[in-house]
Amino acid sequence: MGSGPTGYSAALYAARAELQPVVLTGMQLGGQAALTYTIENYPGFPDGVGGAQLGELFQKQAEHFGAVTEFSSAHSVDLSQRPFKVKSDDEDYLADTLIVGTGASPTHLNISGEVELTGRGVSYCATCDGWFFKDKKVVVVGGGDSALEEALFITRYASSVTIIHRREEFRASPILQHRAREHPKVDFILNTIVTEIVGTDKLEALKLKNVKTGDETIYEADGLFIFIGHIPNTQIFKDQLEMSDLGYIKVNDKMETNVPGVFAAGEAADPHFRQVVTSAGMGAAAAIQATRFLEAESE
Ligand code: NAP
């Protein structure tokens, strides 16, 4: 389940082990990585590679060895007996083993105006929506790699990009911090949170609060990009697979879940690394273990 780096790496290994893997794509073919404009830290691409392009390469390579792609999203699973059942709107899939590579989705700020103005100035994807903010004033919220990387991407279009972060220190890697600080279009508002998104048909302004002084201000902006982390897409496995308090599927060092024959990998099971290369590696590991699991059964 899942068509990001995890799903297609698992499918590649499973296909080469002649296990006839079927990849259920989920809503986003290629996963979150496909929404990234350039990936500069996936080994083998010294000049970087487009996220969507890398996703297509993953898919092509897995399909070359016999993996089948189903453009389908699962809405429920039954892991109580084998074969495991995965239900989508169109079809029920039966599987001897299941590899969960459902990834994660962006966290929301959960403030007034966010839902109403999503797609009307509020966005979670710079690659998808950056173009709409040509010569506009954009705010980015967050202090991690995503926020700084995407802020730098938006400078291609926007007249200015203001990064609002709730602390003074950034989680983002030093190289991204350096690039952002040096960029003439980027500025920062620190120790500050957005408390409300204001606008009727489109975003007009943000209500800000300085967390140190308590001062509240109104900040006019055309766009707000929110990059404050992710939550794992594991809701449909609730009560069937063991999870952490944050919803990450618990796996051992062989990618095994509490249900024999069900494996989980990538961001659905990984709160620590969350890189394209680590997700791909975990997907491959899960498929190797799934192969061993089936082999042990047939002995
Ligand atoms: P992240 O590293 O978890 O950073 C989330 C940021 O959002 C933090 O700065 C956090 O502030 C802030 N935040 C969280 N909740 C907030 C809230 N309610 N209001 C305001 N701010 C809030 O998430 P990420 O940037 O998406 O990165 C996720 C993972 O992907 C990381 O492991 C990262 O290294 C990786 N990644 C790597 C690259 C790359 O290598 N090029 C690119 C993108 C992502 P605090 O710092 O105060 O907690």
Side-chain angles (χ1 to χ4, degrees):
M1 293 174 69
S3 58
T6 307
Y8 272 120
S9 296
L12 170 64
Y13 274 72
R16 286 172 57 83
E18 304 196 321
L19 294 181
Q20 299 161 333
V22 173
V23 177
L24 301 191
T25 57
M27 298 288 275
Q28 174 62 54
L29 179 66
Q32 292 180 89
L35 299 174
T36 305
Y37 183 70
T38 309
I39 295 173
E40 290 183 330
N41 51 9
Y42 192 79
F45 296 90
D47 301 321
V49 56
Q53 188 194 351
L54 185 60
E56 282 168 23
L57 291 171
F58 283 148
Q59 181 179 352
K60 199 172 163 190
Q61 193 172 357
E63 289 177 351
H64 174 73
F65 289 101
V68 171
T69 299
E70 290 277 323
F71 294 90
S72 173
S73 276
H75 57 65
S76 65
V77 292
D78 180 357
L79 309 180
S80 62
Q81 56 184 16
R82 293 179 66 215
F84 303 120
K85 194 180 277 183
V86 179
K87 292 185 173 192
S88 76
D89 283 337
D90 311 318
E91 214 167 320
D92 287 358
Y93 299 90
L94 297 176
D96 288 322
T97 59
L98 182 66
I99 297 174
V100 178
T102 47
S105 297
T107 308
H108 292 192
L109 282 170
N110 293 321
I111 55 174
S112 169
E114 187 173 8
V115 172
E116 298 83 342
L117 294 173
T118 292
R120 296 162 180 236
V122 177
S123 171
Y124 304 86
C125 177
T127 316
C128 319
D129 299 329
W131 186 85
F132 295 111
F133 295 91
K134 203 162 169 37
D135 301 323
K136 304 270 194 218
K137 201 173 157 186
V138 166
V139 165
V140 167
V141 177
D145 281 328
S146 299
L148 269 62
E149 193 168 79
E150 303 297 331
L152 287 163
F153 176 76
I154 298 164
T155 58
R156 290 159 186 262
Y157 310 103
S159 55
S160 70
V161 179
T162 302
I163 298 173
I164 296 183
H165 181 38
R166 63 185 179 183
R167 292 191 295 142
E168 233 151 272
E169 299 77 28
F170 287 84
R171 279 178 203 276
S173 59
I175 187 170
L176 284 173
Q177 290 190 46
H178 180 75
R179 278 189 207 164
R181 288 208 174 91
E182 294 292 302
H183 200 289
K185 281 190 185 177
V186 175
D187 60 3
F188 297 89
I189 300 179
L190 302 179
N191 299 314
T192 297
I193 55 171
V194 181
T195 55
E196 192 181 326
I197 302 170
V198 185
T200 37
D201 289 337
K202 63 182 179 66
L203 190 159
E204 287 159 21
L206 306 171
K207 275 193 189 165
L208 307 184
K209 184 176 179 182
N210 185 305
V211 293
K212 287 211 160 152
T213 62
D215 287 350
E216 295 191 297
T217 46
I218 296 283
Y219 191 84
E220 285 183 12
D222 303 299
L224 172 65
F225 285 79
I226 299 167
F227 300 111
I228 58 166
H230 296 89
I231 44 165
N233 297 322
T234 55
Q235 293 82 350
I236 65 170
F237 306 103
K238 199 167 175 279
D239 301 326
Q240 300 190 67
L241 295 181
E242 281 178 11
M243 296 181 197
S244 70
D245 293 344
L246 295 174
Y248 291 93
I249 296 170
K250 287 188 181 171
V251 289
N252 62 15
D253 60 2
K254 293 183 178 140
M255 304 294 134
E256 292 166 326
T257 68
N258 59 303
V259 176
V262 178
F263 306 84
E267 291 196 31
D270 166 31
H272 302 296
F273 303 114
R274 298 181 292 179
Q275 305 293 305
V276 178
V277 65
T278 51
S279 292
M282 288 179 201
I288 291 169
Q289 196 58 27
T291 309
R292 289 178 182 157
F293 174 83
L294 292 171
E295 277 169 2
E297 268 190 336
S298 61
E299 273 168 10

